[in-house]
Amino acid sequence: MATGTIPASFFNLKPNDSAFGFANSMDFVRLSHLKRSDYPRKRLAFVIRNSNQGSDIAELQPASEGSPLLVPRQKYCESIHKTVRRKTRTVMVGNVALGSEHPIRLQTMTTTDTKDVAGTVEQVMRVADTGADIVRITVQGKKEADACFEIKNTLVQKNYNIPLVADIHFAPSVALRVAECFDKIRVNPGNFADRRAQFEQLEYTDEDYQKELEHIEQVFVPLVEKCKKYGRAMRIGTNHGSLSDRIMSYYGDSPRGMVESAFEFARICRKYDYHNFVFSMKASNPVIMVQAYRLLVAEMYVQGWDYPLHLGVTEAGEGEDGRMKSAIGIGTLLQDGLGDTIRVSLTEAPEEEIDPCRRLANLGTRAAQLQKGVAPFEEKHRHYFDFQRRSGQLPVQKEGEEVDYRSVLHRDGSVIMSVSLDQLKAPELLYKSLATKLVVGMPFKDLATVDSILLRHLPPVDDHDARLALKRLIDVSMGVIVPLSEQLTKPLPHAMALVNLKELSTGAYKLLPEGTRLVVSVRGDEAYEELGILKDIDTTFLLHELPLTDNKIGRVHAARRLFEFLGENELNFPVIHHIQYPRGMHRDDVVINAGSNAGALLVDGLGDGVLLEALDQDFDFLRDTSFNLLQGCRMRNTKTEYVSCPSCGRTLFDLQEISAQIREKTSHLPGVSIAIMGCIVNGPGEMADADFGYVGGVPGKIDLYVGKTVVKRGIAMEQATDALVDLIKEHGRWVDPPAEEE
């Protein structure tokens, strides 16, 4: 046995660190019962006890095999097998209560110049009428702070008591001023007391680092005391793109650094007995965002803290792209019962953010109210805090097979589409809908071509045209999946037969010709004895299929249970997430549901593709949504990736107009990521995920970046889009757009 005391936030302890010489901080947990566990791959586990509570609350283990990062096991949410909302304290933002005992609150942010009092008031009233519970306003200087008093007073006179939040960067004195009139202050730990990040690697002694913390406390405490005096709330809002050089030098540009950055400020709040605050961990990459929130909550469990969470994916973009990214990040956390207020950041008018916010909140609320899930199970294989994809074994060619099955799935993530008999009546239109490349009317697979199709009904054996259309798809390695009953009665050569577990257990599939490829449909909540038949079946891949109409079984939890079964039994079948939508579902709900259900699994590396099936939805829309989902989960890139801020009072150009111009000229560059930023606040840091950046420098002028480095400054806005294209060409990332087909 070994015992030691470690800071609760010090989870980057290495397993062989047994001498703890840093027991002089405020918040500690007891490290005791050091023991070797029986977990797979001989992981070393620790039990940690909260020194205030005296009870075991988490086990520490390496985040992944060989990782020096120790993380809590299974305790980043209330339950891993059902949706249970995490219990939090109540934080009052004006007259609106945040926390687990209250509805999930909806937020947005104004895009007007804050000094334009009339315009800002009008926009706040508009979003309040649309359903926003809280509105954030950028406050970058003294003039804007002075305008805030007039904005607040005017709204009150018009009987609008919606709470207002001041968005603060680099300006502690401005925060102190606006705290006298606004209901909540958002501080960014990365730039409230630290200088703007220069992305320099700094070396710190323990003494130097402690002095930096003392400086932060000196700058931050006046705001804490003022918020206490006036009863104001605060959001400690870390942004992945604006971590300080000090944090990045110590913890890296990582979720670990994001959490520690916020905790530095939270410890000061707690030291001065101020608790009316919430946390946020925003990033433009949904995978990073999910990891950061999980790590934050895991550490709060260890500490015994219960502060609410504000959820959001920053710079998500516009249209279905922005909604999908937000659904992946926010929806994933809501499925685990995390989140008390949300904002969907879109490069659109603020009122357009409220509807997707509401749809996400409804999804999370319903899941928590029904406590959707599955029977309890032990989870050993999923990685909560670092992304590791479970890659299913792609199909391999078997001796004697006359067609190539190796490309029926894609190594980076597959898209499967459901095709109707009517679509087979117009083969060339079908080929185009599947995004094949046509050469003299013949289909060939391209970068963003659908990988396989599901055909619920086969054409009659004597329908030669329809069968020829299917043969041409099979000849270019597009898989054709048909139900067992159809394949037995109207066999299609080289089709893959879709079977369920009952058809496997009864042996009905044995009526098929020897060598027929099988695709197996499973729910994930079956008894392990039923799933056991998979051990003896040679299946090409699995379809995880659970009806959306099932009100008690959570498809995310059922899928996690399925993956746990596969991992325990060393079954490496690819798994495709199959979602069937009922008729009449709004297309935004289709996007949000796909992101929240399939995306919640793909961000954990669980799954190899998606099949979205909806009889009354546009085929091209479902195909594009599927590819957007894979790209949003950082799997398969089939188009240009945009990191686009939602605009605010700091924005130095018409973001929606410029974004449209840039997309029109660059949307055909898969593998290229472009950041479009209205100002510099989050610009260079957020472009850690981008290859090229278009950032407002001063009014009318644009700065261009390669990665985090500015390479051209002060370009007139009229020439800036063309200059961006030239920059992409200079770096060898440009290809000419494909010629329009006649």
Side-chain angles (χ1 to χ4, degrees):
M1 184 197 301
T3 303
T5 304
I6 62 170
S9 60
F10 200 84
F11 283 167
N12 57 347
L13 175 71
K14 294 180 175 58
N16 58 357
D17 285 340
S18 57
F20 309 116
F22 35 86
N24 56 359
S25 179
M26 291 176 54
D27 299 299
F28 291 96
V29 294
R30 180 70 55 186
L31 181 69
S32 60
H33 308 309
L34 185 62
K35 62 183 179 182
R36 194 167 288 277
S37 80
D38 295 324
Y39 293 128
R41 295 181 290 278
K42 297 181 180 178
R43 286 178 172 171
L44 188 64
F46 302 97
V47 176
I48 51 179
R49 302 175 186 274
N50 186 298
S51 57
N52 297 321
Q53 299 175 359
S55 60
D56 292 353
I57 51 176
E59 273 188 346
L60 293 185
Q61 65 176 29
S64 57
E65 187 172 6
S67 172
L69 175 67
L70 289 183
V71 294
R73 180 173 179 77
Q74 294 187 345
K75 196 57 179 176
Y76 74 89
C77 61
E78 290 292 310
S79 170
I80 62 163
H81 60 85
K82 62 181 178 179
T83 301
V84 180
R85 195 164 173 192
R86 169 180 165 261
K87 297 297 182 185
T88 75
R89 69 177 61 225
T90 292
V91 166
M92 294 302 302
V93 184
N95 59 356
V96 171
L98 293 184
S100 59
E101 301 303 313
H102 311 283
I104 297 171
R105 304 300 187 181
L106 315 182
Q107 297 200 31
T108 186
M109 187 173 184
T110 59
T111 59
T112 53
D113 182 341
T114 307
K115 297 190 298 295
D116 176 6
V117 173
T120 303
V121 166
E122 176 62 31
Q123 196 169 75
V124 171
M125 292 192 299
R126 193 160 62 246
V127 296
D129 293 340
T130 307
D133 297 306
I134 299 169
V135 180
R136 180 158 44 115
I137 298 173
T138 188
V139 189
Q140 61 266 54
K142 185 178 182 303
K143 292 180 180 179
E144 288 80 8
D146 291 342
C148 288
F149 285 82
E150 194 173 346
I151 290 168
K152 182 69 171 179
N153 290 336
T154 305
L155 286 167
V156 170
Q157 291 168 13
K158 294 178 179 288
N159 293 318
Y160 281 82
N161 292 312
I162 186 168
L164 303 180
V165 183
D167 193 55
I168 302 293
H169 298 264
F170 304 110
S173 61
V174 172
L176 288 171
R177 170 73 170 148
V178 78
E180 296 175 9
C181 67
F182 273 16
D183 304 281
K184 182 179 175 185
I185 308 296
R186 181 268 171 126
V187 298
N188 183 339
N191 59 35
F192 187 82
D194 286 300
R195 63 172 186 165
R196 188 190 305 276
Q198 305 298 312
F199 308 103
E200 299 173 347
Q201 184 68 34
L202 305 177
E203 296 293 333
Y204 284 95
T205 64
D206 290 344
E207 183 180 357
D208 292 337
Y209 202 90
Q210 185 59 37
K211 287 181 179 178
E212 292 275 355
L213 296 180
E214 291 169 359
H215 169 69
I216 291 173
E217 182 170 344
Q218 183 181 4
V219 174
F220 184 49
V221 164
L223 178 61
V224 172
E225 292 178 331
K226 192 156 219 178
C227 286
K228 282 186 67 176
K229 175 182 177 182
Y230 285 90
R232 306 306 187 200
M234 187 185 298
R235 170 159 67 98
I236 301 175
T238 304
N239 192 300
H240 183 230
S242 53
L243 296 176
S244 68
D245 285 332
R246 175 178 51 79
I247 285 289
M248 287 192 287
S249 296
Y250 229 69
Y251 297 97
D253 184 10
S254 64
R256 166 74 266 153
M258 295 171 67
V259 173
E260 184 57 30
S261 182
F263 264 47
E264 289 178 351
F265 280 67
R267 292 186 193 106
I268 295 169
C269 291
R270 290 174 58 82
K271 180 178 178 180
Y272 289 85
D273 198 25
Y274 173 70
H275 301 279
N276 202 41
F277 65 88
V278 304
F279 284 112
S280 67
M281 297 276 124
K282 294 194 179 185
S284 60
N285 179 337
V287 177
I288 295 291
M289 174 262 199
V290 168
Q291 292 170 1
Y293 275 102
R294 286 175 173 171
L295 189 56
L296 170 77
V297 176
E299 296 203 16
M300 282 204 281
Y301 275 125
V302 171
Q303 296 278 13
W305 295 2
D306 59 355
Y307 301 104
L309 298 177
H310 168 127
L311 304 184
V313 176
T314 192
E315 282 101 23
E318 63 186 15
E320 287 161 13
D321 287 359
R323 286 160 176 78
M324 178 59 79
K325 283 184 185 178
S326 294
I328 293 167
I330 297 171
T332 295
L333 295 167
L334 290 175
Q335 295 274 18
D336 278 324
L338 305 179
D340 305 288
T341 178
I342 61 177
R343 183 202 174 187
V344 174
S345 299
L346 300 175
T347 310
E348 300 177 20
E351 56 268 27
E352 298 299 325
E353 296 182 350
I354 302 304
D355 181 69
C357 253
R358 184 180 292 111
R359 294 177 190 276
L360 273 166
N362 290 343
L363 183 148
T365 299
R366 180 174 172 78
Q369 286 174 343
L370 296 173
Q371 293 205 350
K372 295 182 75 168
V374 293
F377 64 96
E378 185 180 5
E379 195 171 45
K380 301 176 183 177
H381 295 81
R382 182 163 64 100
H383 300 279
Y384 314 137
F385 305 107
D386 64 333
F387 179 81
Q388 288 194 26
R389 184 178 169 197
R390 171 205 177 271
S391 295
Q393 175 62 54
L394 293 174
V396 295
Q397 199 68 10
K398 298 178 182 178
E399 186 177 353
E401 289 184 325
E402 298 176 7
V403 298
D404 190 350
Y405 288 99
R406 289 173 295 180
S407 297
V408 300
L409 296 180
H410 194 284
R411 67 180 184 278
D412 295 328
S414 304
V415 169
I416 301 178
M417 295 291 295
S418 179
V419 170
S420 68
L421 286 176
D422 284 342
Q423 288 175 283
L424 288 174
K425 295 176 182 177
E428 285 205 16
L429 288 179
L430 172 61
Y431 300 155
K432 289 182 179 179
S433 294
L434 296 172
T436 63
K437 189 174 184 178
L438 291 177
V439 180
V440 197
M442 300 292 288
F444 292 89
K445 280 193 170 181
D446 205 357
L447 181 72
T449 300
V450 170
D451 300 290
S452 292
I453 63 172
L454 170 65
L455 200 60
R456 292 284 183 185
H457 302 281
L458 279 170
V461 175
D462 59 358
D463 188 343
H464 301 296
D465 291 340
R467 292 196 163 233
L468 177 61
L470 291 171
K471 179 182 182 301
R472 286 175 173 168
L473 292 175
I474 291 172
D475 286 345
V476 294
S477 297
M478 184 173 291
V480 177
I481 309 161
V482 299
L484 174 64
S485 59
E486 289 287 298
Q487 187 65 1
L488 288 174
T489 56
K490 295 175 286 186
L492 176 71
H494 312 302
M496 297 183 287
L498 177 63
V499 298
N500 57 38
L501 293 181
K502 183 177 180 181
E503 290 166 332
L504 289 179
S505 63
T506 61
Y509 73 99
K510 295 179 181 178
L511 297 173
L512 292 165
E514 186 176 353
T516 300
R517 293 272 185 165
L518 298 181
V519 175
V520 181
S521 174
V522 295
R523 288 171 52 98
D525 65 336
E526 298 94 341
Y528 288 130
E529 293 77 14
E530 292 181 57
L531 291 172
I533 197 171
L534 295 174
K535 302 175 189 178
D536 305 315
I537 296 295
D538 181 14
T539 181
T540 304
F541 57 89
L542 304 180
L543 287 184
H544 175 247
E545 181 179 349
L546 191 69
L548 283 179
T549 52
D550 196 320
N551 288 328
K552 289 300 291 181
I553 305 300
R555 72 171 0 261
V556 170
H557 305 92
R560 289 174 180 169
R561 181 178 179 272
L562 172 64
F563 282 109
E564 192 62 35
F565 172 84
L566 296 176
E568 280 292 289
N569 291 280
E570 299 182 346
L571 299 175
N572 202 24
F573 305 132
V575 179
I576 303 298
H577 298 295
H578 183 191
I579 303 177
Q580 295 187 63
Y581 295 98
R583 289 183 179 272
M585 180 171 276
H586 192 283
R587 63 191 292 156
D588 279 359
D589 281 326
V590 171
V591 172
I592 286 169
N593 196 287
S596 301
N597 282 294
L601 296 155
L602 295 175
V603 295
D604 280 334
L606 302 179
D608 300 274
V610 64
L611 164 53
L612 305 181
E613 190 175 6
L615 296 177
D616 59 345
Q617 295 288 346
D618 178 72
F619 191 88
D620 290 352
F621 160 69
L622 290 174
R623 183 198 65 225
D624 292 344
T625 299
S626 301
F627 280 109
N628 287 346
L629 173 60
L630 295 181
Q631 184 150 333
C633 293
R634 295 307 194 260
M635 292 176 65
R636 183 173 174 182
N637 283 310
T638 51
K639 62 181 182 180
T640 312
E641 178 75 14
Y642 296 98
V643 179
S644 178
C645 81
S647 187
C648 69
R650 291 184 177 85
T651 303
L652 298 171
F653 53 82
D654 187 326
L655 200 60
Q656 293 181 52
E657 179 183 341
I658 294 299
S659 178
Q661 290 177 11
I662 292 173
R663 286 170 184 265
E664 183 181 359
K665 293 193 174 186
T666 63
S667 62
H668 63 288
L669 302 172
V672 173
S673 178
I674 299 173
I676 308 169
M677 300 291 177
C679 71
I680 200 66
V681 167
N682 287 331
E686 206 59 65
M687 288 186 293
D689 267 348
D691 302 306
F692 303 96
Y694 180 110
V695 181
V698 296
K701 302 289 185 181
I702 299 299
D703 298 337
L704 296 181
Y705 285 72
V706 174
K708 298 176 182 178
T709 304
V710 61
V711 293
K712 296 185 179 181
R713 292 187 184 275
I715 302 170
M717 192 169 297
E718 309 82 63
Q719 288 89 45
T721 301
D722 289 336
L724 174 63
V725 170
D726 291 340
L727 185 64
I728 297 171
K729 290 178 178 178
E730 288 172 18
H731 284 77
R733 304 295 299 277
W734 180 264
V735 295
D736 290 329
E740 292 288 334
E741 293 186 8
E742 296 293 333

